[in-house]
Amino acid sequence: QVQLVESGGGLVQAGGSLRLSCAASGSRFSINAMGWYRQAPGKERELVAAITSGLSTNYVDSVKGRFTISRDNAKNSVYLQMNSLKPEDTAVYYCNAQVVRWAREFEYWGQGTQVTVSS
């Protein structure tokens, strides 16, 4: 079994910064793409940012220039640096990983971490 554990959420004022971290643990696995999703109350879950094992990245338009996704393959970890936060960034943020085990790819999710941006 593979587990994703997130940390770094919290309450911040508009214009502030937060850094989310997510670490994968388990045995006999490798990771392809990793990403961060978010879900605000009453809204669908959306992809915020993703990064491949080769470090190619993509972002939803609303966070471009403000958020930066990175990963440490040696630590099976992914990070999301969030700057210039806005109230509309308030959501539960979920880590996602495309994990390869036994030559098959599986999708795993973290438990979610709350990010609240006050105006």
Side-chain angles (χ1 to χ4, degrees), residues 48-118:
V48 176
I51 184 168
T52 68
S53 58
L55 306 183
S56 296
T57 60
N58 67 282
Y59 299 89
V60 67
D61 286 345
S62 60
V63 308
K64 286 180 179 177
R66 301 188 297 121
F67 291 10
T68 302
I69 190 170
S70 61
R71 66 188 282 175
D72 184 334
N73 289 332
K75 295 182 179 180
N76 293 317
S77 294
V78 64
Y79 310 95
L80 186 68
Q81 178 66 43
M82 304 184 293
N83 298 329
S84 302
L85 282 161
K86 303 176 180 180
E88 51 263 43
D89 294 319
T90 295
V92 177
Y93 284 70
Y94 296 91
C95 174
N96 173 276
Q98 307 300 316
V99 176
V100 178
R101 304 182 78 197
W102 310 300
R104 294 176 58 192
E105 188 173 85
F106 300 87
E107 184 174 53
Y108 286 88
W109 293 90
Q111 79 281 5
T113 186
Q114 178 70 46
V115 171
T116 303
V117 184
S118 63

Side-chain angles (χ1 to χ4, degrees), residues 10 15 32 35-36 38 43 51 60 73:
N32 289 338
W36 290 95
R38 66 186 179 186
K43 294 187 177 181
I51 184 168
V60 67
N73 289 332

